[in-house]
Amino acid sequence: MITRAVVVPHPPLLVPELVVGAALETEPVRAATLAAAGKLPGPWVAVAVGDGGRATYVPPLSGTFLGYGVDVPVSLGGDLPPDATVPLPVLVTAWLRERCAVEVSRVELVPRDLPASACVSFGRQLAEEDCGLLVLGDGSTRHGPRSPGSDDERSGPFDSLVHTSLANADVDALLGLDLDLARELGAQGRAAWQVLAGVPGPWRCSGAEFFAPFGVGYHVAVWERP
């Protein structure tokens, strides 16, 4: 049974070598992410959204952040040569794994537009596994003029709702997140968060934080059994 789940973002800015000029500005989200991941027992099963749809990545597997500016090699386990095609959520999972010194069983990528009902079904499938569940996903990319997307006044209420839902371990609120609105706001984490909501509780949240450096929303939360 999954007894603990951790929600983290997966932006390249977590890796200090990729943001040398902004290491201080990005340190809070990096520190919170590492602290939360460090509370997750292994082995990990990670869930995130993939641009290529449904896919599973298992060790041995290595990758590199070269496509994001610097050749920082990472591994899910094993000593294979780095694969340049490894998706970002898998790279970040590997980066976190190395710093937390845990085993990763696999990384599951789900489609960005996976309906909430299918997310719930997948969460229920995962529920009986003896693992720590790592849930990776970013919030809206449209927070203010520094954002990579155009500013959208709906971003604040959207990510505020996500933060409150995570902080209260409110699965119904997470499942109520609108697929179309999330897509319009660039919130890639919606499907992954709803997979978490599909894992039967009860749950309680022992800590939740929200950050928005450079106009992108990043959520960090730790869920555990009461």
Side-chain angles (χ1 to χ4, degrees), residues 66-153:
L66 183 60
Y68 298 92
V70 181
D71 185 12
V72 179
V74 290
S75 172
L76 281 183
D79 56 0
L80 295 179
D83 180 348
T85 67
V86 173
L88 179 60
V90 183
L91 293 175
V92 171
T93 298
W95 185 81
L96 291 170
R97 179 201 77 85
E98 293 178 344
R99 276 138 195 85
C100 296
V102 298
E103 175 188 350
V104 172
S105 295
R106 67 188 188 278
V107 181
E108 300 279 8
L109 300 186
V110 299
R112 186 186 305 268
D113 287 344
L114 192 68
S117 58
C119 293
V120 169
S121 295
F122 188 42
R124 288 175 177 167
Q125 291 175 32
L126 295 174
E128 295 306 316
E129 298 204 30
D130 185 14
C131 67
L133 183 62
L134 184 71
V135 180
L136 302 102
D138 297 346
S140 174
T141 60
R142 298 193 168 192
H143 288 275
R146 300 181 71 191
S147 62
S150 58
D151 184 25
D152 192 315
E153 62 183 9

Side-chain angles (χ1 to χ4, degrees), residues 1-221:
M1 175 183 290
I2 295 174
T3 59
R4 181 167 292 188
V6 166
V7 174
V8 297
H10 58 71
L13 62 77
L14 289 176
V15 182
E17 294 90 336
L18 303 184
V19 286
V20 174
L24 288 178
E25 187 169 1
T26 56
E27 177 58 23
V29 63
R30 183 179 307 111
T33 297
L34 287 168
K39 297 176 182 177
L40 189 64
W44 291 355
V45 170
V47 175
V49 171
D51 290 332
R54 187 78 175 83
T56 301
Y57 291 81
V58 298
L61 179 68
S62 298
T64 173
F65 284 94
L66 183 60
Y68 298 92
V70 181
D71 185 12
V72 179
V74 290
S75 172
L76 281 183
D79 56 0
L80 295 179
D83 180 348
T85 67
V86 173
L88 179 60
V90 183
L91 293 175
V92 171
T93 298
W95 185 81
L96 291 170
R97 179 201 77 85
E98 293 178 344
R99 276 138 195 85
C100 296
V102 298
E103 175 188 350
V104 172
S105 295
R106 67 188 188 278
V107 181
E108 300 279 8
L109 300 186
V110 299
R112 186 186 305 268
D113 287 344
L114 192 68
S117 58
C119 293
V120 169
S121 295
F122 188 42
R124 288 175 177 167
Q125 291 175 32
L126 295 174
E128 295 306 316
E129 298 204 30
D130 185 14
C131 67
L133 183 62
L134 184 71
V135 180
L136 302 102
D138 297 346
S140 174
T141 60
R142 298 193 168 192
H143 288 275
R146 300 181 71 191
S147 62
S150 58
D151 184 25
D152 192 315
E153 62 183 9
R154 299 174 296 174
S155 290
F158 176 86
D159 273 322
S160 178
L161 174 60
V162 174
H163 172 68
T164 300
S165 302
L166 291 172
N168 293 329
D170 187 340
V171 297
D172 290 334
L174 285 177
L175 292 175
L177 295 174
D178 184 76
L179 186 156
D180 293 327
L181 177 60
R183 184 196 304 117
E184 292 169 12
L185 296 177
Q188 298 180 357
R190 189 276 314 170
W193 301 328
Q194 290 184 334
V195 170
L196 169 61
V199 179
W203 292 105
R204 72 177 183 89
C205 178
S206 62
E209 297 180 80
F210 174 71
F211 308 87
F214 307 117
V216 180
Y218 300 127
H219 297 273
V220 178

